[in-house]
Amino acid sequence: TEIYTLSLHDALPIYDGPARVTVWRRGAPTLTRLADLPGAATEVDWSPDGQTLAVTCVRSGPLASGSAVIHPAGSGYADGSAGLVRTKRRVLMLPADGGPARPLLTGASHPRWSPDGTRLAFLTSGPAEEESWLAVVDPGRPAEVTTLAAGAVAFTWSPAGDQLAYLAPGPDYPADIDCRLFTCRVAGDQPPAELAADWDRSIGSTVRADDARGTGSQAPVWSAVTNRIYFCVADGGCGLIGWASPDGADHGVLGGGARSCLDLSLGAGGRAIAYVCTDPSDPGSVCVTDLQTGGERQVTAGESPGLTPVYPVRARAADGTPLD
Protein backbone atom coordinates (compact mmCIF):
# COMPACT_ATOMS: atom_id res chain seq x y z
CA THR A 1 0.00 0.00 0.00
CA GLU A 2 2.99 2.31 -0.36
CA ILE A 3 2.23 5.37 -2.48
CA TYR A 4 4.72 6.80 -4.95
CA THR A 5 4.72 9.78 -7.26
CA LEU A 6 6.92 10.22 -10.27
CA SER A 7 8.59 13.12 -12.04
CA LEU A 8 10.86 13.82 -14.97
CA HIS A 9 13.77 15.61 -13.36
CA ASP A 10 15.26 18.67 -15.07
CA ALA A 11 14.40 20.14 -18.44
CA LEU A 12 14.92 18.37 -21.75
CA PRO A 13 17.76 20.16 -23.57
CA ILE A 14 18.50 19.94 -27.26
CA TYR A 15 21.47 17.59 -26.99
CA ASP A 16 21.73 14.49 -24.81
CA GLY A 17 19.77 15.88 -21.88
CA PRO A 18 20.11 14.84 -18.25
CA ALA A 19 16.36 14.36 -17.71
CA ARG A 20 16.12 11.60 -15.10
CA VAL A 21 13.32 9.60 -13.52
CA THR A 22 12.83 10.15 -9.79
CA VAL A 23 10.42 8.68 -7.26
CA TRP A 24 9.05 9.97 -4.00
CA ARG A 25 7.79 7.65 -1.30
CA ARG A 26 5.07 9.04 0.91
CA GLY A 27 6.64 10.44 4.05
CA ALA A 28 10.17 10.48 2.61
CA PRO A 29 12.06 13.78 3.05
CA THR A 30 13.79 13.58 -0.33
CA LEU A 31 13.37 12.31 -3.87
CA THR A 32 15.21 9.20 -5.02
CA ARG A 33 16.76 9.16 -8.47
CA LEU A 34 16.53 5.90 -10.36
CA ALA A 35 19.18 4.40 -12.61
CA ASP A 36 20.93 6.37 -15.33
CA LEU A 37 19.49 6.29 -18.84
CA PRO A 38 21.31 6.62 -22.19
CA GLY A 39 19.49 9.89 -22.91
CA ALA A 40 16.57 11.93 -21.62
CA ALA A 41 13.43 10.42 -20.10
CA THR A 42 10.30 11.82 -21.75
CA GLU A 43 7.48 9.33 -20.92
CA VAL A 44 6.93 6.88 -18.08
CA ASP A 45 4.32 4.29 -17.18
CA TRP A 46 4.13 2.22 -13.98
CA SER A 47 3.61 -1.51 -14.19
CA PRO A 48 0.43 -2.55 -12.33
CA ASP A 49 2.47 -4.23 -9.58
CA GLY A 50 4.51 -1.04 -9.03
CA GLN A 51 7.84 -2.81 -9.52
CA THR A 52 8.90 -1.54 -12.96
CA LEU A 53 8.59 1.56 -15.07
CA ALA A 54 8.48 1.55 -18.85
CA VAL A 55 10.40 4.65 -19.93
CA THR A 56 10.77 6.35 -23.29
CA CYS A 57 14.37 7.52 -23.62
CA VAL A 58 15.32 10.13 -26.22
CA ARG A 59 18.88 10.74 -27.36
CA SER A 60 19.46 13.71 -29.65
CA GLY A 61 22.60 15.00 -31.27
CA PRO A 62 23.74 17.18 -34.16
CA LEU A 63 24.21 15.63 -37.57
CA ALA A 64 27.82 15.29 -38.62
CA SER A 65 28.91 18.14 -40.86
CA GLY A 66 28.23 17.35 -44.48
CA SER A 67 26.33 14.14 -43.79
CA ALA A 68 22.92 13.47 -45.25
CA VAL A 69 20.00 11.59 -43.74
CA ILE A 70 17.57 10.12 -46.25
CA HIS A 71 13.96 9.66 -45.14
CA PRO A 72 12.92 5.99 -45.33
CA ALA A 73 10.26 6.80 -47.91
CA GLY A 74 12.79 8.64 -50.04
CA SER A 75 10.79 11.85 -49.93
CA GLY A 76 13.58 14.12 -48.75
CA TYR A 77 16.83 14.48 -46.84
CA ALA A 78 18.59 16.55 -44.21
CA ASP A 79 21.86 17.95 -45.55
CA GLY A 80 23.89 18.14 -42.36
CA SER A 81 23.75 21.92 -41.97
CA ALA A 82 24.54 23.34 -38.54
CA GLY A 83 21.65 23.11 -36.10
CA LEU A 84 20.01 20.00 -37.56
CA VAL A 85 19.40 17.32 -34.97
CA ARG A 86 19.02 13.56 -35.24
CA THR A 87 16.75 12.05 -32.58
CA LYS A 88 16.65 8.40 -31.54
CA ARG A 89 13.98 6.89 -29.28
CA ARG A 90 13.93 3.69 -27.34
CA VAL A 91 11.89 2.09 -24.56
CA LEU A 92 13.64 0.73 -21.48
CA MET A 93 12.53 -1.14 -18.36
CA LEU A 94 13.51 0.74 -15.21
CA PRO A 95 13.21 -1.08 -11.84
CA ALA A 96 11.55 1.04 -9.18
CA ASP A 97 14.04 -0.26 -6.59
CA GLY A 98 16.92 1.55 -8.32
CA GLY A 99 18.33 -1.37 -10.31
CA PRO A 100 19.93 -0.87 -13.73
CA ALA A 101 17.79 -0.06 -16.74
CA ARG A 102 17.17 -2.82 -19.29
CA PRO A 103 16.78 -1.91 -22.99
CA LEU A 104 13.60 -3.30 -24.51
CA LEU A 105 12.69 -1.66 -27.85
CA THR A 106 14.35 0.70 -30.31
CA GLY A 107 12.46 3.25 -32.39
CA ALA A 108 9.53 3.03 -29.97
CA SER A 109 7.65 5.44 -27.71
CA HIS A 110 4.51 5.90 -25.61
CA PRO A 111 4.73 2.61 -23.66
CA ARG A 112 1.60 1.55 -21.75
CA TRP A 113 1.23 -1.55 -19.59
CA SER A 114 -1.71 -3.89 -20.01
CA PRO A 115 -4.06 -4.07 -16.99
CA ASP A 116 -2.59 -7.42 -15.92
CA GLY A 117 1.01 -6.28 -16.44
CA THR A 118 1.93 -9.06 -18.87
CA ARG A 119 2.23 -6.96 -22.04
CA LEU A 120 3.29 -3.56 -23.16
CA ALA A 121 1.62 -1.58 -25.96
CA PHE A 122 3.62 1.11 -27.71
CA LEU A 123 3.97 3.19 -30.87
CA THR A 124 6.74 2.42 -33.33
CA SER A 125 7.89 3.93 -36.59
CA GLY A 126 6.29 2.71 -39.80
CA PRO A 127 7.80 2.42 -43.27
CA ALA A 128 7.41 6.19 -43.68
CA GLU A 129 9.16 8.27 -41.04
CA GLU A 130 6.04 10.31 -40.25
CA GLU A 131 3.86 7.22 -39.80
CA SER A 132 3.48 5.32 -36.53
CA TRP A 133 2.14 1.85 -35.81
CA LEU A 134 0.45 0.42 -32.75
CA ALA A 135 2.11 -2.75 -31.46
CA VAL A 136 2.28 -4.98 -28.36
CA VAL A 137 5.06 -7.04 -26.83
CA ASP A 138 5.69 -9.34 -23.89
CA PRO A 139 8.62 -7.68 -22.03
CA GLY A 140 10.04 -11.14 -21.42
CA ARG A 141 10.20 -11.81 -25.18
CA PRO A 142 11.12 -8.44 -26.76
CA ALA A 143 11.86 -9.96 -30.16
CA GLU A 144 8.25 -11.13 -30.57
CA VAL A 145 6.44 -7.89 -31.42
CA THR A 146 2.86 -8.02 -32.71
CA THR A 147 1.99 -5.08 -34.98
CA LEU A 148 -1.72 -4.29 -34.84
CA ALA A 149 -2.64 -1.08 -36.65
CA ALA A 150 -1.13 1.56 -38.92
CA GLY A 151 -1.28 5.31 -38.41
CA ALA A 152 -2.03 5.24 -34.67
CA VAL A 153 -1.19 8.42 -32.76
CA ALA A 154 -2.68 7.69 -29.29
CA PHE A 155 -4.29 4.69 -27.60
CA THR A 156 -5.57 3.06 -24.42
CA TRP A 157 -6.11 -0.50 -23.16
CA SER A 158 -9.55 -1.98 -22.61
CA PRO A 159 -10.26 -2.83 -18.95
CA ALA A 160 -10.08 -6.56 -19.77
CA GLY A 161 -6.78 -6.15 -21.63
CA ASP A 162 -8.01 -7.95 -24.75
CA GLN A 163 -8.49 -4.84 -26.91
CA LEU A 164 -6.98 -1.44 -27.60
CA ALA A 165 -8.83 1.74 -28.55
CA TYR A 166 -6.74 4.07 -30.67
CA LEU A 167 -6.84 7.26 -32.72
CA ALA A 168 -5.60 7.42 -36.30
CA PRO A 169 -5.96 10.08 -39.02
CA GLY A 170 -8.83 9.94 -41.44
CA PRO A 171 -8.15 9.42 -45.14
CA ASP A 172 -5.96 12.16 -46.64
CA TYR A 173 -5.77 14.08 -43.35
CA PRO A 174 -2.72 14.68 -41.13
CA ALA A 175 -2.92 13.45 -37.55
CA ASP A 176 -3.16 16.95 -36.05
CA ILE A 177 -6.19 17.90 -38.16
CA ASP A 178 -8.62 14.99 -38.11
CA CYS A 179 -8.49 11.66 -36.28
CA ARG A 180 -10.96 8.80 -36.12
CA LEU A 181 -11.57 6.29 -33.32
CA PHE A 182 -10.87 2.57 -33.78
CA THR A 183 -10.63 -0.59 -31.71
CA CYS A 184 -8.52 -3.66 -32.40
CA ARG A 185 -8.05 -7.00 -30.70
CA VAL A 186 -4.65 -7.62 -29.10
CA ALA A 187 -4.64 -11.11 -30.59
CA GLY A 188 -4.58 -9.50 -34.04
CA ASP A 189 -7.11 -12.03 -35.32
CA GLN A 190 -9.63 -9.45 -36.58
CA PRO A 191 -9.33 -6.22 -38.57
CA PRO A 192 -9.72 -2.92 -36.68
CA ALA A 193 -13.26 -1.55 -36.27
CA GLU A 194 -14.10 2.14 -36.53
CA LEU A 195 -16.40 3.67 -33.91
CA ALA A 196 -18.60 6.76 -34.33
CA ALA A 197 -17.89 6.64 -38.05
CA ASP A 198 -20.77 9.02 -38.84
CA TRP A 199 -19.53 11.70 -36.43
CA ASP A 200 -18.11 14.54 -38.56
CA ARG A 201 -15.93 15.97 -35.81
CA SER A 202 -12.20 15.64 -35.13
CA ILE A 203 -11.94 12.97 -32.46
CA GLY A 204 -9.04 13.24 -30.03
CA SER A 205 -8.46 16.92 -30.78
CA THR A 206 -9.28 20.01 -28.84
CA VAL A 207 -9.47 23.71 -29.65
CA ARG A 208 -6.28 25.35 -30.87
CA ALA A 209 -5.31 28.90 -30.01
CA ASP A 210 -2.19 30.78 -28.93
CA ASP A 211 -2.12 28.58 -25.81
CA ALA A 212 -0.18 25.45 -26.76
CA ARG A 213 -1.72 23.23 -24.07
CA GLY A 214 -3.78 20.39 -25.38
CA THR A 215 -2.59 20.53 -28.99
CA GLY A 216 -2.18 17.22 -30.69
CA SER A 217 -4.28 14.10 -30.28
CA GLN A 218 -4.87 13.12 -26.67
CA ALA A 219 -5.24 9.49 -25.65
CA PRO A 220 -8.75 8.18 -24.95
CA VAL A 221 -9.73 6.40 -21.72
CA TRP A 222 -11.90 3.28 -21.35
CA SER A 223 -14.18 2.84 -18.32
CA ALA A 224 -15.00 -0.63 -17.00
CA VAL A 225 -18.04 0.78 -15.14
CA THR A 226 -19.83 2.30 -18.13
CA ASN A 227 -18.05 0.26 -20.83
CA ARG A 228 -17.58 3.44 -22.80
CA ILE A 229 -14.52 4.98 -24.40
CA TYR A 230 -14.07 8.68 -23.61
CA PHE A 231 -12.04 11.15 -25.66
CA CYS A 232 -11.60 14.84 -26.45
CA VAL A 233 -13.49 16.11 -29.47
CA ALA A 234 -13.34 19.52 -31.16
CA ASP A 235 -16.73 20.97 -32.04
CA GLY A 236 -16.46 24.44 -33.51
CA GLY A 237 -14.89 26.68 -30.89
CA CYS A 238 -15.44 24.17 -28.07
CA GLY A 239 -13.43 21.15 -26.94
CA LEU A 240 -15.80 18.66 -25.36
CA ILE A 241 -15.58 15.14 -23.94
CA GLY A 242 -17.09 12.63 -26.32
CA TRP A 243 -17.84 8.97 -25.73
CA ALA A 244 -18.48 5.88 -27.82
CA SER A 245 -19.62 2.34 -27.09
CA PRO A 246 -16.95 -0.22 -28.03
CA ASP A 247 -19.52 -2.26 -29.96
CA GLY A 248 -20.21 0.75 -32.18
CA ALA A 249 -23.86 0.97 -31.13
CA ASP A 250 -23.88 4.54 -29.84
CA HIS A 251 -21.86 7.68 -29.22
CA GLY A 252 -22.41 11.11 -27.70
CA VAL A 253 -21.05 13.96 -25.59
CA LEU A 254 -20.44 14.05 -21.84
CA GLY A 255 -21.56 17.43 -20.52
CA GLY A 256 -21.22 20.52 -22.70
CA GLY A 257 -20.70 24.24 -22.41
CA ALA A 258 -18.56 26.86 -24.13
CA ARG A 259 -15.23 25.50 -22.91
CA SER A 260 -12.34 23.21 -23.75
CA CYS A 261 -11.59 20.00 -21.83
CA LEU A 262 -8.04 18.64 -21.83
CA ASP A 263 -5.95 15.78 -20.41
CA LEU A 264 -8.53 13.15 -19.51
CA SER A 265 -7.65 10.84 -16.62
CA LEU A 266 -9.74 7.91 -15.43
CA GLY A 267 -10.20 7.31 -11.71
CA ALA A 268 -9.70 3.98 -9.96
CA GLY A 269 -12.28 1.47 -11.12
CA GLY A 270 -13.42 3.72 -13.96
CA ARG A 271 -16.15 5.43 -11.93
CA ALA A 272 -15.03 9.03 -12.52
CA ILE A 273 -13.07 11.05 -15.02
CA ALA A 274 -10.85 14.05 -14.23
CA TYR A 275 -9.78 16.70 -16.72
CA VAL A 276 -8.62 20.28 -17.08
CA CYS A 277 -11.40 22.65 -18.09
CA THR A 278 -10.60 26.04 -19.58
CA ASP A 279 -12.63 28.89 -21.07
CA PRO A 280 -12.03 32.59 -21.82
CA SER A 281 -12.46 33.51 -18.14
CA ASP A 282 -10.56 30.54 -16.67
CA PRO A 283 -7.01 29.59 -17.72
CA GLY A 284 -7.50 26.10 -16.32
CA SER A 285 -9.34 24.33 -13.51
CA VAL A 286 -9.38 20.63 -12.61
CA CYS A 287 -12.86 19.13 -12.79
CA VAL A 288 -14.20 15.66 -12.00
CA THR A 289 -17.31 14.03 -13.47
CA ASP A 290 -19.02 11.00 -11.95
CA LEU A 291 -19.58 8.71 -14.94
CA GLN A 292 -22.52 6.95 -13.31
CA THR A 293 -24.52 9.99 -12.22
CA GLY A 294 -23.16 12.61 -14.62
CA GLY A 295 -22.50 14.99 -11.73
CA GLU A 296 -19.59 17.39 -12.24
CA ARG A 297 -17.57 19.29 -9.67
CA GLN A 298 -14.64 21.68 -9.86
CA VAL A 299 -11.82 20.74 -7.51
CA THR A 300 -9.45 23.67 -8.09
CA ALA A 301 -10.10 27.38 -8.44
CA GLY A 302 -8.68 28.69 -11.69
CA GLU A 303 -10.72 31.83 -12.36
CA SER A 304 -8.69 34.93 -13.24
CA PRO A 305 -10.52 38.18 -12.40
CA GLY A 306 -10.00 41.22 -14.57
CA LEU A 307 -9.96 39.47 -17.93
CA THR A 308 -11.73 41.32 -20.72
CA PRO A 309 -14.97 39.58 -21.70
CA VAL A 310 -14.97 37.86 -25.09
CA TYR A 311 -17.73 36.64 -27.36
CA PRO A 312 -17.86 34.13 -30.22
CA VAL A 313 -17.66 35.32 -33.81
CA ARG A 314 -19.49 33.15 -36.31
CA ALA A 315 -19.59 33.29 -40.09
CA ARG A 316 -20.60 31.14 -43.03
CA ALA A 317 -18.49 29.79 -45.85
CA ALA A 318 -19.51 30.29 -49.47
CA ASP A 319 -21.30 26.95 -49.44
CA GLY A 320 -23.22 27.84 -46.27
CA THR A 321 -21.07 25.86 -43.82
CA PRO A 322 -21.07 27.62 -40.42
CA LEU A 323 -17.62 28.61 -39.11
CA ASP A 324 -16.43 29.72 -35.66
Side-chain angles (χ1 to χ4, degrees), residues 63 67-80 84 127-130:
L63 295 177
S67 67
V69 175
I70 306 299
H71 288 194
S75 60
Y77 67 95
D79 63 6
L84 293 178
E129 185 173 321
E130 65 275 6

PDB file of all heavy atoms in Angstrom, residues 63 67-80 84 127-130:
ATOM      1  N   LEU A  63      23.725  16.425 -36.448  1.00  0.00           N
ATOM      2  CA  LEU A  63      24.213  15.634 -37.569  1.00  0.00           C
ATOM      3  C   LEU A  63      25.666  15.991 -37.849  1.00  0.00           C
ATOM      4  O   LEU A  63      26.089  17.132 -37.681  1.00  0.00           O
ATOM      5  CB  LEU A  63      23.383  15.916 -38.820  1.00  0.00           C
ATOM      6  CG  LEU A  63      21.913  15.494 -38.788  1.00  0.00           C
ATOM      7  CD1 LEU A  63      21.236  15.922 -40.071  1.00  0.00           C
ATOM      8  CD2 LEU A  63      21.793  14.006 -38.600  1.00  0.00           C
ATOM      9  N   SER A  67      27.023  15.412 -43.614  1.00  0.00           N
ATOM     10  CA  SER A  67      26.327  14.142 -43.788  1.00  0.00           C
ATOM     11  C   SER A  67      24.901  14.395 -44.254  1.00  0.00           C
ATOM     12  O   SER A  67      24.365  15.480 -44.121  1.00  0.00           O
ATOM     13  CB  SER A  67      26.328  13.349 -42.482  1.00  0.00           C
ATOM     14  OG  SER A  67      25.543  14.020 -41.510  1.00  0.00           O
ATOM     15  N   ALA A  68      24.303  13.370 -44.798  1.00  0.00           N
ATOM     16  CA  ALA A  68      22.920  13.469 -45.247  1.00  0.00           C
ATOM     17  C   ALA A  68      22.128  12.328 -44.664  1.00  0.00           C
ATOM     18  O   ALA A  68      22.620  11.210 -44.553  1.00  0.00           O
ATOM     19  CB  ALA A  68      22.844  13.444 -46.767  1.00  0.00           C
ATOM     20  N   VAL A  69      20.891  12.612 -44.254  1.00  0.00           N
ATOM     21  CA  VAL A  69      19.997  11.593 -43.739  1.00  0.00           C
ATOM     22  C   VAL A  69      18.823  11.482 -44.704  1.00  0.00           C
ATOM     23  O   VAL A  69      18.090  12.446 -44.911  1.00  0.00           O
ATOM     24  CB  VAL A  69      19.508  11.941 -42.324  1.00  0.00           C
ATOM     25  CG1 VAL A  69      18.489  10.914 -41.858  1.00  0.00           C
ATOM     26  CG2 VAL A  69      20.686  11.995 -41.357  1.00  0.00           C
ATOM     27  N   ILE A  70      18.636  10.331 -45.303  1.00  0.00           N
ATOM     28  CA  ILE A  70      17.566  10.121 -46.253  1.00  0.00           C
ATOM     29  C   ILE A  70      16.344   9.580 -45.518  1.00  0.00           C
ATOM     30  O   ILE A  70      16.445   8.629 -44.747  1.00  0.00           O
ATOM     31  CB  ILE A  70      17.985   9.130 -47.356  1.00  0.00           C
ATOM     32  CG1 ILE A  70      19.291   9.593 -48.006  1.00  0.00           C
ATOM     33  CG2 ILE A  70      16.880   9.002 -48.408  1.00  0.00           C
ATOM     34  CD1 ILE A  70      19.216  10.931 -48.668  1.00  0.00           C
ATOM     35  N   HIS A  71      15.195  10.183 -45.726  1.00  0.00           N
ATOM     36  CA  HIS A  71      13.964   9.657 -45.138  1.00  0.00           C
ATOM     37  C   HIS A  71      13.703   8.268 -45.683  1.00  0.00           C
ATOM     38  O   HIS A  71      13.964   7.990 -46.855  1.00  0.00           O
ATOM     39  CB  HIS A  71      12.781  10.571 -45.478  1.00  0.00           C
ATOM     40  CG  HIS A  71      12.822  11.858 -44.726  1.00  0.00           C
ATOM     41  ND1 HIS A  71      11.752  12.698 -44.638  1.00  0.00           N
ATOM     42  CD2 HIS A  71      13.806  12.449 -44.015  1.00  0.00           C
ATOM     43  CE1 HIS A  71      12.067  13.765 -43.917  1.00  0.00           C
ATOM     44  NE2 HIS A  71      13.311  13.627 -43.539  1.00  0.00           N
ATOM     45  N   PRO A  72      13.158   7.358 -44.859  1.00  0.00           N
ATOM     46  CA  PRO A  72      12.917   5.989 -45.326  1.00  0.00           C
ATOM     47  C   PRO A  72      12.077   5.913 -46.588  1.00  0.00           C
ATOM     48  O   PRO A  72      12.270   5.055 -47.429  1.00  0.00           O
ATOM     49  CB  PRO A  72      12.197   5.339 -44.138  1.00  0.00           C
ATOM     50  CG  PRO A  72      12.659   6.114 -42.956  1.00  0.00           C
ATOM     51  CD  PRO A  72      12.841   7.520 -43.434  1.00  0.00           C
ATOM     52  N   ALA A  73      11.116   6.830 -46.729  1.00  0.00           N
ATOM     53  CA  ALA A  73      10.256   6.798 -47.909  1.00  0.00           C
ATOM     54  C   ALA A  73      10.909   7.444 -49.121  1.00  0.00           C
ATOM     55  O   ALA A  73      10.352   7.441 -50.215  1.00  0.00           O
ATOM     56  CB  ALA A  73       8.937   7.493 -47.603  1.00  0.00           C
ATOM     57  N   GLY A  74      12.103   8.020 -48.921  1.00  0.00           N
ATOM     58  CA  GLY A  74      12.794   8.637 -50.040  1.00  0.00           C
ATOM     59  C   GLY A  74      12.242   9.980 -50.447  1.00  0.00           C
ATOM     60  O   GLY A  74      12.537  10.480 -51.529  1.00  0.00           O
ATOM     61  N   SER A  75      11.453  10.606 -49.568  1.00  0.00           N
ATOM     62  CA  SER A  75      10.792  11.851 -49.935  1.00  0.00           C
ATOM     63  C   SER A  75      11.629  13.087 -49.671  1.00  0.00           C
ATOM     64  O   SER A  75      11.244  14.190 -50.050  1.00  0.00           O
ATOM     65  CB  SER A  75       9.470  11.978 -49.168  1.00  0.00           C
ATOM     66  OG  SER A  75       9.717  11.974 -47.774  1.00  0.00           O
ATOM     67  N   GLY A  76      12.768  12.946 -49.031  1.00  0.00           N
ATOM     68  CA  GLY A  76      13.582  14.117 -48.746  1.00  0.00           C
ATOM     69  C   GLY A  76      14.813  13.742 -47.954  1.00  0.00           C
ATOM     70  O   GLY A  76      15.041  12.577 -47.650  1.00  0.00           O
ATOM     71  N   TYR A  77      15.631  14.756 -47.616  1.00  0.00           N
ATOM     72  CA  TYR A  77      16.832  14.476 -46.844  1.00  0.00           C
ATOM     73  C   TYR A  77      17.217  15.704 -46.039  1.00  0.00           C
ATOM     74  O   TYR A  77      16.806  16.826 -46.332  1.00  0.00           O
ATOM     75  CB  TYR A  77      17.987  14.082 -47.768  1.00  0.00           C
ATOM     76  CG  TYR A  77      18.481  15.193 -48.669  1.00  0.00           C
ATOM     77  CD1 TYR A  77      19.555  15.988 -48.304  1.00  0.00           C
ATOM     78  CD2 TYR A  77      17.836  15.457 -49.886  1.00  0.00           C
ATOM     79  CE1 TYR A  77      19.988  17.014 -49.118  1.00  0.00           C
ATOM     80  CE2 TYR A  77      18.256  16.479 -50.698  1.00  0.00           C
ATOM     81  CZ  TYR A  77      19.339  17.258 -50.315  1.00  0.00           C
ATOM     82  OH  TYR A  77      19.766  18.288 -51.107  1.00  0.00           O
ATOM     83  N   ALA A  78      18.003  15.467 -44.993  1.00  0.00           N
ATOM     84  CA  ALA A  78      18.590  16.545 -44.213  1.00  0.00           C
ATOM     85  C   ALA A  78      20.058  16.630 -44.611  1.00  0.00           C
ATOM     86  O   ALA A  78      20.759  15.614 -44.654  1.00  0.00           O
ATOM     87  CB  ALA A  78      18.466  16.261 -42.720  1.00  0.00           C
ATOM     88  N   ASP A  79      20.552  17.825 -44.924  1.00  0.00           N
ATOM     89  CA  ASP A  79      21.863  17.950 -45.554  1.00  0.00           C
ATOM     90  C   ASP A  79      23.023  18.128 -44.583  1.00  0.00           C
ATOM     91  O   ASP A  79      24.153  18.360 -45.006  1.00  0.00           O
ATOM     92  CB  ASP A  79      21.851  19.092 -46.575  1.00  0.00           C
ATOM     93  CG  ASP A  79      21.591  20.447 -45.916  1.00  0.00           C
ATOM     94  OD1 ASP A  79      21.532  20.506 -44.680  1.00  0.00           O
ATOM     95  OD2 ASP A  79      21.437  21.434 -46.652  1.00  0.00           O
ATOM     96  N   GLY A  80      22.784  18.040 -43.308  1.00  0.00           N
ATOM     97  CA  GLY A  80      23.888  18.140 -42.363  1.00  0.00           C
ATOM     98  C   GLY A  80      24.264  19.550 -41.991  1.00  0.00           C
ATOM     99  O   GLY A  80      25.305  19.773 -41.380  1.00  0.00           O
ATOM    100  N   LEU A  84      20.898  21.139 -37.337  1.00  0.00           N
ATOM    101  CA  LEU A  84      20.012  20.003 -37.560  1.00  0.00           C
ATOM    102  C   LEU A  84      20.314  18.915 -36.536  1.00  0.00           C
ATOM    103  O   LEU A  84      21.473  18.660 -36.201  1.00  0.00           O
ATOM    104  CB  LEU A  84      20.184  19.453 -38.974  1.00  0.00           C
ATOM    105  CG  LEU A  84      19.720  20.380 -40.099  1.00  0.00           C
ATOM    106  CD1 LEU A  84      19.988  19.740 -41.451  1.00  0.00           C
ATOM    107  CD2 LEU A  84      18.243  20.697 -39.966  1.00  0.00           C
ATOM    108  N   PRO A 127       6.914   2.323 -42.115  1.00  0.00           N
ATOM    109  CA  PRO A 127       7.798   2.424 -43.273  1.00  0.00           C
ATOM    110  C   PRO A 127       8.126   3.860 -43.641  1.00  0.00           C
ATOM    111  O   PRO A 127       9.232   4.160 -44.081  1.00  0.00           O
ATOM    112  CB  PRO A 127       6.986   1.731 -44.382  1.00  0.00           C
ATOM    113  CG  PRO A 127       6.057   0.810 -43.656  1.00  0.00           C
ATOM    114  CD  PRO A 127       5.716   1.521 -42.376  1.00  0.00           C
ATOM    115  N   ALA A 128       7.156   4.764 -43.482  1.00  0.00           N
ATOM    116  CA  ALA A 128       7.412   6.190 -43.685  1.00  0.00           C
ATOM    117  C   ALA A 128       7.722   6.821 -42.334  1.00  0.00           C
ATOM    118  O   ALA A 128       7.098   6.498 -41.334  1.00  0.00           O
ATOM    119  CB  ALA A 128       6.201   6.866 -44.328  1.00  0.00           C
ATOM    120  N   GLU A 129       8.683   7.721 -42.311  1.00  0.00           N
ATOM    121  CA  GLU A 129       9.163   8.268 -41.044  1.00  0.00           C
ATOM    122  C   GLU A 129       8.059   8.952 -40.250  1.00  0.00           C
ATOM    123  O   GLU A 129       8.047   8.920 -39.021  1.00  0.00           O
ATOM    124  CB  GLU A 129      10.297   9.259 -41.316  1.00  0.00           C
ATOM    125  CG  GLU A 129      10.960   9.797 -40.059  1.00  0.00           C
ATOM    126  CD  GLU A 129      12.172  10.633 -40.388  1.00  0.00           C
ATOM    127  OE1 GLU A 129      12.910  10.270 -41.311  1.00  0.00           O
ATOM    128  OE2 GLU A 129      12.379  11.655 -39.718  1.00  0.00           O
ATOM    129  N   GLU A 130       7.094   9.583 -40.948  1.00  0.00           N
ATOM    130  CA  GLU A 130       6.040  10.312 -40.249  1.00  0.00           C
ATOM    131  C   GLU A 130       4.903   9.407 -39.811  1.00  0.00           C
ATOM    132  O   GLU A 130       3.978   9.859 -39.147  1.00  0.00           O
ATOM    133  CB  GLU A 130       5.494  11.425 -41.155  1.00  0.00           C
ATOM    134  CG  GLU A 130       4.784  10.926 -42.406  1.00  0.00           C
ATOM    135  CD  GLU A 130       5.734  10.629 -43.559  1.00  0.00           C
ATOM    136  OE1 GLU A 130       6.960  10.708 -43.343  1.00  0.00           O
ATOM    137  OE2 GLU A 130       5.250  10.327 -44.654  1.00  0.00           O
TER     138      GLU A 130
END
